[in-house]
Each structure stands twice: as structure tokens, then as C-alpha cells.
């Protein structure tokens, strides 16, 4: 509501307040929305590490849009080292749930050809966390 000004005056401050309360209760959509605020620096100081930690927590809870956002952060090296492999991994998780943007971006990654070759060949695919996210506490646990 407050994040977009739906039925109320738009307020990043109010949105962050309510997103934070919902995050504390383990709400994955709120994690994703709060992560967007940290990524963009809207209503809070920009903090890509915090954004990635929130996206990752929501992604591990199975939220397709958060899985897409983790992939995007890896693809563009925002808060983590850039990695086509990890980007493809998370885009695929999102795409497997039918998330359209995940499907699109996974297709784009595959169109790169040799850059993603290792993704197809690796057999022991486990959920990559990345060096920065490993150090972050998991929200809601």
C-alpha cells in the first residue's frame, strides 16, 4: 500500500516500517519488497549486501520473484561477484515456477553460449549462496 501509494499517500518510510514488521514474521513477499528498497536506496541508505541477504532468504523460502532477483543480482554483480552460473541457477528456479521474467532472463543467459557452458555440465548443483550472503543471518529463523 504505502510502497506504491495504493489508496494512501506513497511513503517509503511507512512502507519500510511495515515491510520490516512482516519480515520479522517471516513473510517472503515483504522480504523481497524490503530488499528492493535497500537495492534502490529508497527510504533507506542503499545497501546491496542487505538487499541480497533479504532476496536470498525469500528465494530459499521459494518465492519466484525473489529467486529472479537473486539471479539478477548475480548477473549484474550487485552486492555479489558477477556470475552467469549463479544467475542461471536462480533464474532457472524462478522459471521452474513459471515466473515469466525468470524464463526470459534464463533464455538470455543461454543465448550467451559459451559463458554458461559450465551450468549445463556441473552435476553437483547445490544452492549457491555467494561469499557475501553466507555471512548474513537468515531472516525469520
Amino acid at each position: 500500500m504505502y510502497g506504491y501509494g495504493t489508496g494512501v499517500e506513497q511513503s517509503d518510510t511507512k512502507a519500510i516500517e511495515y515491510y520490516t514488521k512482516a519480515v520479522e514474521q517471516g513473510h517472503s513477499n515483504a522480504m523481497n519488497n524490503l530488499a528492493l528498497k535497500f537495492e534502490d536506496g529508497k527510504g533507506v541508505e542503499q545497501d546491496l549486501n542487505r538487499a541480497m541477504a533479504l532476496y536470498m532468504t525469500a528465494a530459499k523460502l521459494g518465492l519466484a520473484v525473489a529467486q529472479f532477483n537473486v539471479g539478477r543480482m548475480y548477473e549484474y554483480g550487485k552486492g555479489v561477484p558477477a556470475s552467469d552460473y549463479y544467475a542461471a541457477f536462480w533464474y532457472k528456479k524462478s522459471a521452474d515456477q513459471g515466473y515469466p521474467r525468470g524464463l526470459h532472463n534464463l533464455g538470455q543467459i543461454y543465448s550467451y553460449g559459451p559463458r554458461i557452458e559450465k551450468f549445463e555440465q556441473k552435476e553437483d548443483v547445490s544452492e549457491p549462496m555467494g561469499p557475501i550472503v553466507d555471512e548474513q543471518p537468515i531472516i525469520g529463523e
Side-chain angles (χ1 to χ4, degrees), residues 3-139:
Y4 299 102
T6 307
V8 295
E9 185 176 330
Q10 194 279 335
S11 169
D12 289 323
T13 304
K14 281 279 193 193
I16 290 165
E17 176 186 338
Y18 287 109
Y19 291 154
T20 300
K21 287 179 183 183
V23 165
E24 290 168 358
Q25 295 177 14
H27 195 278
S28 60
N29 281 313
M31 291 173 196
N32 188 73
N33 291 341
L34 185 57
L36 285 167
K37 296 293 184 189
F38 278 107
E39 181 182 355
D40 295 338
K42 290 189 177 182
V44 292
E45 185 175 331
Q46 185 180 41
D47 185 342
L48 296 178
N49 294 341
R50 184 74 174 142
M52 186 61 169
L54 286 161
Y55 284 141
M56 183 63 75
T57 302
K60 289 179 68 82
L61 291 171
L63 185 66
V65 65
Q67 292 166 343
F68 168 82
N69 283 326
V70 170
R72 186 176 49 76
M73 297 289 276
Y74 275 117
E75 183 175 5
Y76 296 105
K78 296 179 80 174
V80 291
S83 168
D84 288 338
Y85 171 81
Y86 288 158
F89 178 90
W90 287 103
Y91 286 152
K92 184 169 183 338
K93 281 198 165 286
S94 174
D96 285 347
Q97 294 189 64
Y99 188 69
R101 292 174 67 192
L103 290 161
H104 174 266
N105 284 30
L106 183 59
Q108 290 292 105
I109 291 277
Y110 278 124
S111 74
Y112 299 157
R115 285 179 34 183
I116 198 59
E117 195 172 312
K118 292 180 182 177
F119 180 70
E120 286 296 316
Q121 294 174 355
K122 188 166 180 163
E123 292 180 19
D124 62 336
V125 177
S126 59
E127 291 189 25
M129 291 288 286
I132 295 172
V133 178
D134 280 339
E135 299 170 11
Q136 299 294 326
I138 302 297
I139 310 294

